[in-house]
Amino acid sequence: MAARDDGNGTLRVGVFVCQCGLNIAGTVDCAAVAEFAETLDDVAIVYNNKYTCSEPGQLEIRKAIAEHALNRVVVASCSPRMHEPTFRAAVEEAGLNPYLLEMANLREHCSWVHMGEPDAATEKAKDLVKMAVARARALQAQKEMVVPITQQALVVGGGIAGIQASLDLADAGYQVYLVEKEPSIGGIMAQIDKTYPTMDCSI
Amino acid sequence: MAEQAEFKCLRCGAEFLLPYTPGVTEERTCPSCSSNSVRRKKDK
Amino acid sequence: MAYSEIENVTGYVGSFTVTVRKKARYVDVGECTACGDCEDVCPVTSPDEFEIGLSTRKAIYQPFPQAVPSAYVLNIDECLGNNPIACGKCLEACDKECINYDDEDELIDFEVGTIIVCVGMDVYDPTALDEFGYTRYENVITSMEFERLINSGGPTEGHLVKLTDGTQPKTVAFIQCVGSRDESRGNPYCSNFCCMNTVKDCLLIKDHYPDIDIKVFYIDIRAFGKGFEDLFQRSKDAGTVYIRGIPGEIEEDPDTGGLRLYVENTTDGGVERHDVDMVVLSIGAIPRRDSDVIQRLLTLQRSQDGFFLEAHPKLKPVDAATQGVFFAGCAESPKDIKDSVTQASAAVARANRLMMQGKVSVEAITSTVIPELCKSCGLCVKVCPYHAISCDTKAKAPAVVVEAACSGCGACSAECPFGAIVMKHFTDGQIEAQIDALLEHDAHDKVLAFACNWCSYSGGDLAGTNRFQYPANVRLIRTMCSGRVDKKFVLRAFAMGAPIVLVSGCHFTDCHYINAVRWTQRRVEKLWDELEKKGIRPERLQLEWISAAEGQRFATVMRAVEDLRRKVTAKEIEHTRKVLADVLAPVEV
C-alpha cells in the first residue's frame, strides 16, 4: 500500500461529480454543479464523470489524488449508505486516509426526489456539494480499531433456516449455539407433509 | 391508570391528552397529523 | 439448546455476550430414551399443538416422533404434580428415573462473534375473515391443518377426511391469498409460498385419491421459480380446476356439513355457485408475534410489514444494519424452503467472511474526552447507552471513554455542558462547517434537516429509490444518531437565519443506539422552552421520527416542514438573528 497521507498539509480538495448515467444528470445539471464546485475554497480540481463508482471512475480518483496531490476527496454521487465503502477503499488505495473522503448525496436525496424541478434540484446539488466540501475541509484522518472476533456463532431459531445455518457454520469449523424456544427443532417445516418442488417429505 | 397531560402539536396546532409520567421520555405522536413535534403544555 | 430463549445480548461484533434461559423441561434430555412409558400412564389429555389441535397429547409428551432432541417434555402447568394423592404416576413408570418435578430454569452465558437471526414466521389466523366461516364450519380448515390430515404420521394416518363425519370428501376447494394481498383486512403483501403449496397439495390429493374433484379459487397463480410452472401444469393435467375469483361467502348445509361457495369469476364476471365437501384456506405468513423481543435485544429494524429489515435490499440482503448480525428464512420475509436454505447458506457465508479473519476493524467513529475541559460532572456517564464512559466525580478525575465499548452515537458529546467530548468524524467543527455553508446565502429559502444515519437518512434514501417527490429546498445533515445533534447546532442555524430546523431520528423502538434517541427528545423539549423564552416561535424547531422503511413518511414530513417554512416571516428571522447574535461570536481557539 502507498504511504499514508493523513491530510495535514495545505488543503487540496478534489471534487468528483457523478452523473450516474442519467440518474443524476437527467435532472441535475452536473456541468453547472462541477463549475460551481471549482469556485469553492481549497478545491484543487473538479471532475464530472458518467459513473464515478465504475472501475474507470475509481481509477480517475486514484490518479487525481497522485497527480494533484489531493488530501481531501468529495464524491458527489449517491447515498454514502450505498458507496461510501467503495470510495473509502479507492482513496485508501491511493494512499489517503479513508476518513478524508466525504460524499454528497445527489441521487437519493436530490435528482430522484425532485424530478420535475431541474433548476431547484441543481441549486440543491450545488448546496450539497458546498456543504460536503466545507465538511471535507474539516475532516481528520482516523485510525480504525481492530478487535478480535470470537470464533463462535449464535443461531436464533431452529426452523429450516436455522438448521441449515447451524450445519453450515459447524461444517466450517465454528462452535454453534442453536437456540430454539420450542422443545424440538424443526419449526414449521416439520409440520408440513410433502414439500415442493421435489415432492419428498419434510423431515 | 396512567396519568395524562395536555399536549400540543407544533406542526398542526392540535391539542390533546396523552399518557404522561414525569421524568419518563416516551415517543409521542399527534393523533391528527402524526407529527412527533408534540410539546407538553406547561401549567400556567 | 432446545426449549430455550434468548434472555439478553450485550457487546458488539466480534464479542457478543449472550444469556440464554434454558427452560425447565422436567425431563433429563440426556437420560430420556423416549420410550413413552410415562406418556402411557399420564392421566392428563391436552390438545396437541404440533397437530394443531386435531388430536391430543398427554401432559408429558414428545412434540412429534422425529423430534430433536428425542426426549420428552413435561408441561408443568397441566401436570397434576408429584403429589401421591394427586398423581406422580410418570415418576413411577420411568425406569431411567429422568423425571424431576423440581427442575428449574437455568441461565447460561456464552460469547459469540456473529449472530444469525432465523426466528421464522407465524401463520395468519383466518378468524377475522368471517365470510369463510373458519370458526363456524368444521369442514373449513387451514392449509396447515390440511398438511397434518394428509400426513401419514398425522392424526388420521394420512386419510383425508371431513371433520364433521370422518368420511372422505368428494370435492375439495382451496381458497388462495387468505390474509395476504388484502390492504384492509389481513396483510398487503404476497406471502410467497402459498400458491405453490396449494399446487403441491392438489398433486398430493390427486396422487392419493384420483377421484376427488379439486377447485382452486385464486387472484393470480404465482408459479415463478425453478420447476414451479411445471408442477402447476402437472396439477392442471391431473384435473385440478383453477377458478379466478375469491369467494365472497360460504354457506353450510347443517345436515350434511356440505359447503356452498359464492364467487364472482373474474375471467367472465359471472357469479357462480360451487358445492364442495371441504374448504382449505391457504393462509399466509405473518411476522413472529414476539419479534419485538429479539428486535430490542439486537437493536434491529423492521420493515413496514413487520418482517426484519436488511441493511440494503440488493447489496446486503442478508445483513442486519447491526454489524455481525445476519438474517435467514422467514424472519426477513415470507419465503419457501428452498429460499430459506439458500438464504441461510448466504448468511453463513457473510458471517464466515467476518469470523475467518479472526479480527474485525470497527469504524473509527467514537468519542474521546479532552481532559483539560472536563469538569468531572458525570453527566456523560448517565447519557451513554453503552456504559462506555466512566468518571470518578468525587476525585474530580476527567471522564474516560472505553473506545471498544463506544458505538458512536455522540449523545455524550451533545450533552456535555463544557464541550469536553469530541466525536470523531462528526466533530462540532465539521457539522458547523456544513451548517455555515448551507446558510451562508438565501438561508430564508432553505429547510435544514438533521437526519440520523440508520433511520431518517435511510428513510430519505428509500424515498429516493421509490421516487417519492418532495420540495427541493430541504437539505440534510447526516449524523450517526439524532442524539448527536447538539443544542448549539440548532441555535447556530437559527442565528444564521434558518427559518426552520428539523431534527429527525429513529422511532424509539428502532433506535440503533439502544435509547440515545431519548436524549434527542429531551434536548428538543428543552430547546422549545428556551426558544420561547427568547421570543422565538418553538414551532420553528420540528422533531420527527422516521424509520428506514418509511420513505413515504419521509416525503410527507418534508412537505409539512416546507409548509411551515413558508409561514416564517422575514421579520421573525431578522429578530431571531439579533436575539441569537452572540451564538456566532467566536469562542474556539
Side-chain angles (χ1 to χ4, degrees), chain A residues 79 81 88 99 112 114-115 124 135 145 147 150-152 154 156 168 174 178 180-182 193-194, chain C residues 1 3-4 14 111 113 116 118 147 200 290 345 352 355 360 362-364 425 458 461 469-470 474:
Chain A
S79 172
R81 294 182 55 84
R88 273 192 181 173
Y99 287 82
W112 276 352
H114 313 306
M115 298 180 92
K124 175 170 178 175
R135 176 171 153 81
M145 189 180 47
V147 295
T150 308
Q151 306 276 310
Q152 305 192 118
L154 165 67
V156 188
D168 281 2
Y174 299 108
L178 171 58
E180 165 60 49
K181 70 176 170 185
E182 298 298 330
D193 183 41
K194 304 282 189 291
Chain C
M1 303 170 95
Y3 214 35
S4 303
E111 205 163 280
I116 302 184
C118 315
E147 292 295 336
K200 173 209 75 177
D290 56 359
S345 293
N352 184 35
M355 287 195 291
V360 57
V362 192
E363 248 194 336
H425 208 53
S458 301
D461 282 356
Q469 307 292 301
Y470 57 86
V474 177

Side-chain angles (χ1 to χ4, degrees), chain A residues 130-143:
Chain A
K130 184 179 174 192
M131 291 160 74
V133 169
R135 176 171 153 81
R137 293 170 65 235
L139 287 176
Q140 292 149 354
Q142 302 295 343
K143 199 166 177 291

